[in-house]
C-alpha cells in the first residue's frame, strides 16, 4: 500500500509542480527563503554565485525536510565546477560531510554503472542488445511469450516482468544467497510481452549485472572496479560487499527523523544479486568524474589522469539517445537513462533511494552540464523526484521555463470522454503473488469527465485538467505536461502514460479491482466475522439463563455454530495477518520481530513512521519502497 500511495503521490506532486573547487561546510547556513529569482545566465557559470545559491537551497531543504547531511557536485565543460558537503555524516561523533571522501549509497543511480558496463561489452562484441538474454544466462527465463527478452528491453524496463519486493533484504548475513540461486528462486512472472509497456524492473537490472559478470568472466564488483571506477580515479567508490574497511570508515550514517530527533537507520543487508540495481557506494567528487566521462563522450582526464576512456564516443552518444517511449508524443527512456527534460532543456537522469539515503543525477548534454546531489536522511526522498525538489529549484533558477500557451478544449469532446473514464494502477506491480493484495488495497488515479470539455485526473492529493490535442493525446491546460492513452484492437482504452513517468505506465482496471471496492468488501467481511462473536455470546448466555427449560439444540446445530465461530476467527486472523505482512518492511523480508519473538523497537519505529500519507518511497525515478543500510554493514536494496 505504501508503494502504491507513493507512486500516486509522486505523480500528483509532479503534475502540480511542473578549474575545480572543492569546498566544505559542516554548519548549515541559517534558514532563510531561497531566492527563486530567475538567473539571467545560461546555466551556472559563476562559481561564487552557484555556491551562494546552493548554500541557500540546501539550508532550506535540510531544515524543511529534517536532513542531517547532504552532498552535491556540479560539472560543466569537462571540469568540476563545484563540490560541497553540508551538515554531518555522523551526528553522534560530529563528523561533517566531506564531498571528496564521504561515501553515500546512491541507490538506483547504480543502474547507470550497470548499463555502462553492458555497453562496454557491446563494444567488445561480447553482447548483442537484440539477442535473447537466455543466450547469456546459465538458467532460463521461461518462454511465456513468443518474443524473447533482450538487453534493450532490460535497458528500458520493458521486459514484461511483474515487480516483486519480498526478500530483497535480510537482517542476517547467513540468509544471503549466491546471485544465481537468488535470481532463480526469486524470478518474477512474465505478465506482458517484452516491449509492450514500461514497468520499472529491478530484477531486470539485476539480470543485466549477472550477465556482465558471466560474459566478462569477473564478479560484478570486480568488473565495475577495474573497468569504470579505477580508470576514472573513483577511489572513494565501490560496489563491493562487505565494503572495504577504508571506505566503510568514511561512509555516511543514514538517519530518520522521529519525535523531533534524528535516529540512526537500522542495518539491513542486501542480497548480492541485487547490487547491480542499487548497491553502489560513492562520494560526490567521484560521481562528478562519472558525469564528466558521460558528457565528454566516454573520455576523462584531469591533473592526475592523463587519458581515460570508459566508452567510445559513438557509444556514449548512443546511450543518451531515446530508445523507447510509450507514445511518440511523450518523453521516454534512453539506454538506461530516463528523459527528465525540463524548462525546455533536454535532461537525462536517474534517481535512487537506498533508504534512508536519497540521490539524484542529472545530465544536460546540450549544456555540457552534470548535477549530482545526495541526502543521508529519509526526508530527502521528497527532494529527488524528477521535476520536483532539487531539480525544480535548480531549473527554475538557471533555466527559466518558457511561456506555455493555454489551450482550449474541443467543442465536442464530451461525446468521447466516457471511453477514458475509470481507475488506473501503476504497471510496476505484482500480478501473481501475495504481494498483489497490497495492490488491491492501494491507491489509483482516476480519470473522469470534467464536464467542461476536458478530462479530470483525480488523485488523493489533487485534481488536474487535461485537454485533447489529438486522438488519445492530451496536454495539461496550462503546462507542457502530456498524457497519452493506448487502446486494444476493439478500441477500448487499456493504458495511460505520462511525460513525467517514462519508467512506468498506468493500467486501466476493472471495477472489481478498484481499491474502493476491495476495501468495502474487506470491511463488509470483517463486520460479518466480528458479528459472530456477540451473536454466539448472546445465544450462549440466553441458553444458560433458560437452563433446563430450554429445548437443547441438535448436536449438529451446536457443532455448526462452533465451526462458524472458528471460521470467522480464522478469517479475522487472516485479515490482520495480511495487513501486517503487507507492511513496507516485511515486504522486503525484514520483519519487525526478532528471532526470539520480541519486537525490534528501532525497526518498528521506522515501519510505522513510513506511512502511505508521506512521500517516503520513490520510483524510480519515481522512487519506490525500499529499506537499506546506514552505510556500515552492506549494500542496501534500492530502486529508482
Amino acid at each position: 500500500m505504501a508503494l502504491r500511495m507513493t507512486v500516486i503521490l509522486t505523480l500528483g506532486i509532479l503534475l502540480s509542480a511542473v578549474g575545480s573547487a572543492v569546498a566544505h561546510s559542516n554548519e548549515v547556513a541559517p534558514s532563510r527563503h531561497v531566492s527563486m529569482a530567475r538567473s539571467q545566465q545560461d546555466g551556472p557559470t559563476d562559481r561564487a554565485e552557484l555556491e551562494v545559491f546552493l548554500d541557500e537551497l540546501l539550508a532550506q531543504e535540510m531544515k524543511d525536510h529534517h536532513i542531517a547531511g547532504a552532498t552535491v557536485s556540479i560539472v560543466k565543460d569537462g571540469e568540476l565546477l563545484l563540490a560541497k558537503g553540508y551538515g554531518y555524516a555522523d551526528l553522534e561523533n560530529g563528523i561533517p560531510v566531506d564531498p571528496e571522501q564521504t561515501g553515500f549509497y546512491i541507490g538506483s543511480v547504480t543502474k547507470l554503472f550497470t548499463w555502462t558496463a553492458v555497453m562496454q561489452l557491446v563494444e567488445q562484441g561480447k553482447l548483442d542488445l537484440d539477442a535473447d538474454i537466455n543466450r547469456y544466462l546459465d538458467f532460463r527465463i521461461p518462454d511465456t511469450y513468443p518474443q524473447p527478452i533482450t538487453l534493450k528491453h532490460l535497458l528500458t524496463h520493458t521486459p514484461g516482468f511483474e515487480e516483486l519486493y519480498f526478500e530483497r533484504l535480510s537482517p542476517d548475513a547467513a540468509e544471503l544467497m549466491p546471485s544465481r540461486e537468488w535470481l532463480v528462486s526469486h524470478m518474477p512472472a512474465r505478465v506482458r510481452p517484452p516491449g509492450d509497456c514500461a514497468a520499472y524492473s529491478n530484477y531486470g537490472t539485476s539480470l543485466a549485472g549477472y550477465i556482465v559478470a558471466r560474459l566478462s568472466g569477473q564478479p560484478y564488483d570486480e568488473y565495475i572496479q577495474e573497468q569504470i571506477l579505477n580508470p576514472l580515479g573513483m577511489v572513494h567508490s565501490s560496489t563491493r560487499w562487505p565494503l572495504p574497511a577504508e571506505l566503510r570508515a568514511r561512509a555516511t550514517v543514514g538517519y530518520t527523523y522521529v519525535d523531533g530527533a534524528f535516529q540512526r537507520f537500522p542495518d539491513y543487508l542486501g542480497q548480492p544479486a541485487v547490487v547491480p540495481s542499487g548497491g553502489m557506494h560513492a562520494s560526490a567528487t567521484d560521481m562528478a568524474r562519472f558525469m564528466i566521462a558521460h558528457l565528454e563522450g566516454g573520455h576523462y582526464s584531469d591533473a592526475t589522469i592523463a587519458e581515460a576512456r570508459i566508452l567510445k564516443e559513438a557509444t556514449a552518444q548512443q546511450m543518451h539517445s531515446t530508445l523507447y517511449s510509450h507514445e511518440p508524443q511523450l518523453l521516454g527512456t534512453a539506454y538506461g537513462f530516463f528523459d527528465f527534460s525540463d524548462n525546455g532543456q533536454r535532461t537525462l537522469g536517474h534517481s535512487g533511494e537506498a533508504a534512508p539515503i536519497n540521490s539524484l543525477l542529472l545530465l544536460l548534454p546540450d549544456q555540457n552540464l552534470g548535477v549530482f546531489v545526495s541526502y543521508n536522511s529519509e526526508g530527502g526522498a521528497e527532494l529527488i523526484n524528477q521535476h520536483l525538489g532539487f531539480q525544480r529549484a535548480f531549473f527554475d533558477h538557471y533555466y527559466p521555463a518558457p511561456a506555455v500557451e493555454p489551450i482550449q478544449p474541443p467543442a465536442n469532446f464530451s461525446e468521447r470522454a466516457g471511453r477514458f473514464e475509470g481507475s488506473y494502477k501503476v504497471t510496476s506491480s505484482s500480478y501473481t503473488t501475495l504481494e498483489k493484495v497490497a495492490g488491491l488495497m492501494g491507491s489509483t488515479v482516476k480519470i473522469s469527465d470534467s464536464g467542461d470539455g476536458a478530462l479530470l485526473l483525480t488523485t488523493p492529493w489533487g485534481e488536474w485538467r487535461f485537454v485533447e490535442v489529438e486522438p488519445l493525446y492530451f496536454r495539461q491546460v496550462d503546462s507542457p505536461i502530456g498524457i497519452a492513452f493506448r487502446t486494444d484492437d476493439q478500441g477500448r482504452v487499456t493504458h495511460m502514460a505520462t511525460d513525467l513517468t517514462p519508467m512506468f505506465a498506468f493500467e486501466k482496471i476493472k471495477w472489481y479491482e478498484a481499491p474502493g471496492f476491495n476495501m468495502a468488501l474487506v470491511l463488509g467481511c470483517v463486520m460479518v466475522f466480528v458479528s459472530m462473536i456477540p451473536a454466539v455470546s448472546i445465544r450462549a448466555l440466553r441458553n444458560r439463563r433458560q437452563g433446563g427449560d430450554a429445548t437443547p439444540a441438535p448436536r449438529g446445530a451446536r457443532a455448526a455454530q462452533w465451526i462458524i465461530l472458528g471460521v470467522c476467527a480464522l478469517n479475522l486472523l487472516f485479515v490482520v495477518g495480511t495487513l501486517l505482512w503487507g507492511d513496507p518492511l516485511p515486504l522486503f523480508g525484514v520483519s519487525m520481530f526478532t528471532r526470539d519473538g520480541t519486537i525490534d523497537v528501532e525497526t518498528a519505529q521506522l515501519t510505522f513512521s513510513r506511512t502511505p500519507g508521506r512521500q517516503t518511497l520513490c520510483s524510480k525515478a519515481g522512487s519506490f519502497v525500499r529499506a537499506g543500510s546506514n552505510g556500515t554493514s552492506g549494500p542496501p536494496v534500492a530502486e529508482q
Side-chain angles (χ1 to χ4, degrees):
M1 284 189 284
L3 168 65
R4 204 79 52 208
M5 294 285 281
T6 297
V7 170
I8 308 309
L9 175 59
T10 299
L11 178 65
I13 298 178
L14 286 171
L15 287 166
S16 66
V18 218
S20 69
V22 179
H24 169 259
S25 172
N26 64 315
E27 296 295 338
V28 179
S31 173
R32 56 186 181 276
H33 178 70
V34 177
S35 173
M36 296 309 295
R38 291 173 174 173
S39 170
Q40 299 305 310
Q41 309 175 78
D42 185 16
T45 56
D46 182 275
R47 187 174 298 143
E49 186 277 335
L50 173 63
E51 185 171 5
V52 170
F53 170 73
L54 291 176
D55 286 350
E56 293 184 353
L57 176 61
L58 269 294
Q60 193 72 53
E61 289 181 340
M62 293 172 71
K63 176 181 181 295
D64 293 344
H65 298 275
H66 307 297
I67 295 168
T71 190
V72 62
S73 59
I74 312 286
V75 301
K76 186 172 177 60
D77 298 329
E79 295 183 354
L80 177 62
L81 184 60
L82 181 70
K84 196 163 185 178
Y86 297 88
Y88 290 89
D90 187 334
L91 283 168
E92 293 81 354
N93 295 304
I95 300 175
V97 173
D98 184 312
E100 186 169 3
Q101 299 202 27
T102 303
F104 286 66
Y105 276 112
I106 62 174
S108 280
V109 179
T110 304
K111 290 180 172 68
L112 299 179
F113 290 82
T114 300
W115 302 132
T116 299
V118 165
M119 297 305 291
Q120 288 178 335
L121 295 177
V122 170
E123 287 182 344
Q124 298 169 27
K126 294 181 178 180
L127 290 177
D128 181 347
L129 295 179
D130 294 306
D132 186 339
I133 60 172
N134 280 315
R135 177 193 297 184
Y136 307 119
L137 298 171
D138 56 355
F139 57 90
R140 188 164 186 84
I141 306 297
D143 299 321
T144 309
Y145 299 93
Q147 306 94 320
I149 297 174
T150 69
L151 283 165
K152 282 185 176 178
H153 294 133
L154 300 185
L155 280 158
T156 55
H157 297 269
T158 60
F161 292 121
E162 65 181 333
E163 183 70 348
L164 305 178
Y165 296 91
F166 189 56
E167 293 184 342
R168 291 183 182 176
L169 298 180
S170 172
D172 187 349
E175 297 178 0
L176 300 182
M177 303 165 63
S179 292
R180 182 187 187 279
E181 182 180 342
W182 193 91
L183 289 170
V184 171
S185 62
H186 290 76
M187 186 184 300
R190 297 179 64 183
V191 295
R192 59 179 65 88
D196 176 72
C197 183
Y200 194 82
S201 176
N202 287 283
Y203 185 84
T205 312
S206 297
L207 277 181
Y210 186 70
I211 289 172
V212 167
R214 278 184 50 77
L215 271 292
S216 68
Q218 296 178 277
Y220 173 83
D221 61 339
E222 287 185 14
Y223 180 90
I224 297 297
Q225 190 72 42
E226 293 182 11
Q227 302 301 322
I228 300 178
L229 305 185
N230 288 348
L232 297 179
M234 297 177 65
V235 296
H236 304 291
S237 303
S238 179
T239 56
R240 290 177 178 166
W241 182 83
L243 196 64
E246 64 274 15
L247 298 183
R248 186 165 62 249
R250 299 187 180 98
T252 184
V253 173
Y255 291 99
T256 57
Y257 191 79
V258 181
D259 297 329
F262 285 105
Q263 296 187 8
R264 277 179 175 252
F265 194 86
D267 286 342
Y268 295 108
L269 309 177
Q271 291 288 346
V274 301
V275 169
S277 70
M280 169 74 76
H281 173 276
S283 70
T285 54
D286 276 5
M287 291 303 297
R289 294 167 180 261
F290 181 73
M291 292 189 293
I292 290 172
H294 262 279
L295 290 167
E296 295 294 314
H299 169 267
Y300 180 83
S301 64
D302 61 21
T304 60
I305 298 176
E307 177 72 26
R309 180 168 289 281
I310 61 171
L311 291 170
K312 296 178 181 177
E313 185 169 359
T315 306
Q317 292 176 353
Q318 180 184 7
M319 284 194 71
H320 299 167
S321 64
T322 301
L323 180 57
Y324 174 86
S325 65
H326 290 106
E327 301 295 339
Q329 308 96 324
L330 299 179
L331 300 178
T333 301
Y335 288 69
F337 290 89
F338 297 114
D339 194 334
F340 291 169
S341 293
D342 205 343
N343 286 8
Q345 297 294 325
R346 184 166 188 270
T347 305
L348 301 172
H350 213 297
S351 59
E353 183 179 355
I357 301 171
N358 302 275
S359 304
L360 175 67
L361 182 147
L362 302 171
L363 298 181
L364 286 70
D366 296 339
Q367 301 293 333
N368 205 9
L369 178 78
V371 180
F372 173 78
V373 63
S374 189
Y375 308 91
N376 69 4
S377 305
E378 185 182 29
E382 302 173 18
L383 300 170
I384 64 166
N385 288 319
Q386 62 271 22
H387 308 287
L388 298 178
F390 184 91
Q391 182 178 351
R392 179 78 282 114
F394 188 88
F395 275 73
D396 284 348
H397 183 75
Y398 287 112
Y399 303 102
V404 176
E405 187 72 25
I407 54 176
Q408 298 300 318
N412 61 346
F413 175 71
S414 294
E415 303 171 5
R416 304 187 299 279
R419 67 187 300 213
F420 304 102
E421 293 184 296
S423 295
Y424 296 75
K425 71 171 184 177
V426 67
T427 51
S428 296
S429 304
S430 171
Y431 291 78
T432 68
T433 75
L434 281 175
E435 291 186 39
K436 183 178 180 180
V437 174
L440 294 175
M441 301 300 172
S443 292
T444 59
V445 297
K446 184 178 180 181
I447 295 289
S448 60
D449 184 357
S450 68
D452 60 358
L455 288 181
L456 194 65
L457 174 61
T458 302
T459 78
W461 299 272
E463 297 180 338
W464 297 271
R465 293 174 64 249
F466 286 83
V467 172
E468 185 181 45
V469 176
E470 57 185 83
L472 303 181
Y473 175 69
F474 295 73
R475 203 196 82 189
Q476 198 171 356
V477 175
D478 54 358
S479 87
I481 296 170
I483 61 174
F485 294 88
R486 181 189 297 181
T487 60
D488 59 17
D489 54 7
Q490 298 182 22
R492 295 174 299 195
V493 172
T494 60
H495 292 80
M496 176 187 70
T498 80
D499 274 319
L500 301 169
T501 57
M503 66 293 300
F504 55 79
F506 293 85
E507 184 177 14
K508 193 173 184 180
I509 60 177
K510 305 291 192 298
W511 63 270
Y512 53 81
E513 297 176 297
F517 173 80
N518 282 280
M519 185 59 72
L521 181 63
V522 168
L523 291 176
C525 292
V526 168
M527 291 179 64
V528 172
F529 301 150
V530 171
S531 70
M532 286 304 301
I533 297 175
V536 171
S537 301
I538 291 172
R539 183 179 180 85
L541 182 62
R542 185 185 62 186
N543 290 342
R544 183 175 181 180
R545 286 182 175 179
Q546 290 177 344
D549 297 334
T551 302
R555 178 176 298 178
R558 293 198 302 272
Q561 173 179 302
W562 287 108
I563 290 173
I564 290 172
L565 180 62
V567 168
C568 290
L570 290 173
N571 274 282
L572 278 173
L573 289 174
F574 173 78
V575 172
V576 173
T578 299
L579 292 175
L580 290 177
W581 178 88
D583 188 84
L585 287 181
L587 275 175
F588 284 89
V590 177
S591 173
M592 290 187 297
F593 296 91
T594 62
R595 291 186 182 276
D596 62 3
T598 60
I599 293 180
D600 182 330
V601 176
E602 199 172 26
T603 305
Q605 288 177 333
L606 169 68
T607 300
F608 293 113
S609 72
R610 296 170 72 82
T611 57
R614 295 176 57 197
Q615 189 178 1
T616 58
L617 323 168
C618 217
S619 153
K620 295 306 250 303
S623 307
F624 289 69
V625 172
R626 68 226 12 107
S629 85
N630 66 5
T632 61
S633 63
V637 174
E639 289 96 274
Q640 172 210 5

